[in-house]
Amino acid sequence: RKEVEQDPGPFNVPEGATVAFNCTYSNSASQSFFWYRQDCRKEPKLLMSVYSSGNEDGRFTAQLNRASQYISLLIRESKLSDSATYLCVGGGGSARQLTFGSGTQLTVLP
Amino acid sequence: DAGVTQSPTHLIKTRGQQVTLRCSPKSGHDTVSWYQQALGQGPQFIFQYYEEEERQRGNFPDRFSGHQFPNYSSELNVNALLLGDSALYLCASSLVQDAYGYTFGSGTRLTVV
């Protein structure tokens, strides 16, 4: 079983729609969690950190449930520019290394 | 302010050969981590270097080795290349006291034929 699992999609949604991504993790050594965004053939970039209290950054809302080992990302009013692969990531270990899920591909359609 | 620089951007090698990939960290960063990203997968942690020593290693065979230089730049070496080593190799730099403040380079795409 992978340490971080997420639905690979693809998710194809119309512009303006709300889309939710879910992720589960099994490695209790992961202490911190993040969502990264990766455009085609580009490097991953940090989208936002994820906290148990939930956090919001504009149209993006992330939530962590440690008891269920579950992480979510909600994108409201999706834009064409949101099209990318979204990676669920756990951080931990002595080197604070990142453990990535396989990614969920999102395409926002005009 | 230069970000993370990786070279080369693309590389084609034959099975059994050896390859060296290079990374210059973001200015001010002292730690370099390497990740392998196979097609359709998320990046996987290979190892991390700090103070010229391997600080932590992921689940990769000894064919994968690295080095960090006094100027914080780093190399990733892969010996006896296999077809399965074909992937995007990403370098991420950070500051040791900023645990998750990673900056990724744009990667080296290695194809083994």
Side-chain angles (χ1 to χ4, degrees):
Chain A
R1 184 185 174 189
K2 291 185 177 179
E3 292 183 9
V4 178
E5 293 204 60
Q6 48 182 139
D7 184 343
F11 282 59
N12 298 316
V13 302
E15 201 172 1
T18 295
V19 60
F21 300 140
N22 302 316
C23 165
T24 57
Y25 66 94
S26 60
N27 182 6
S28 58
S30 290
Q31 303 155 0
S32 301
F33 297 91
F34 311 91
W35 284 100
Y36 272 71
R37 169 191 170 132
Q38 187 172 27
D39 293 294
C40 187
R41 295 186 166 272
K42 301 276 190 177
E43 71 274 21
K45 292 185 178 179
L46 178 65
L47 179 65
M48 59 196 304
S49 301
V50 189
Y51 306 114
S52 298
S53 55
N55 51 307
E56 187 174 309
D57 183 2
R59 298 181 294 109
F60 298 83
T61 301
Q63 184 76 52
L64 165 65
N65 184 321
R66 289 191 185 272
S68 303
Q69 296 184 298
Y70 175 90
I71 302 159
S72 65
L73 175 68
L74 186 74
I75 305 176
R76 293 180 300 277
E77 300 173 17
S78 55
K79 301 180 178 182
L80 298 178
S81 57
D82 293 334
S83 297
T85 295
Y86 291 82
L87 296 158
C88 179
V89 186
S94 59
R96 302 292 188 265
Q97 64 265 29
L98 302 178
T99 301
F100 288 82
S102 296
T104 299
Q105 186 179 347
L106 171 67
T107 301
V108 180
L109 304 169
Chain B
D1 182 19
V4 177
T5 304
Q6 291 188 244
S7 63
T9 55
H10 296 83
L11 200 53
I12 300 176
K13 288 287 190 178
T14 304
R15 273 180 300 174
Q17 284 188 315
Q18 178 264 345
V19 69
T20 298
L21 310 182
R22 295 175 175 81
C23 173
S24 293
K26 181 179 178 179
S27 178
H29 283 183
D30 56 12
T31 302
V32 173
S33 303
W34 287 92
Y35 289 81
Q36 180 197 65
Q37 186 173 22
L39 195 63
Q41 300 297 314
Q44 286 192 65
F45 175 71
I46 303 175
F47 41 53
Q48 184 182 90
Y49 277 84
Y50 171 65
E51 291 188 330
E52 302 178 49
E53 291 191 358
E54 184 182 286
R55 190 181 182 205
Q56 183 73 22
R57 187 179 185 91
N59 188 25
F60 278 80
D62 291 344
R63 298 187 297 110
F64 290 77
S65 63
H67 189 78
Q68 185 181 32
F69 299 94
N71 67 352
Y72 307 116
S73 67
S74 178
E75 288 182 349
L76 164 65
N77 300 293
V78 187
N79 293 324
L81 285 167
L82 304 174
L83 295 179
D85 295 331
S86 296
L88 179 67
Y89 288 84
L90 294 160
C91 171
S93 72
S94 58
L95 200 53
V96 69
Q97 58 259 46
D98 181 12
Y100 296 109
Y102 291 103
T103 299
F104 280 83
S106 54
T108 293
R109 190 163 298 277
L110 172 65
T111 302
V112 182
V113 297

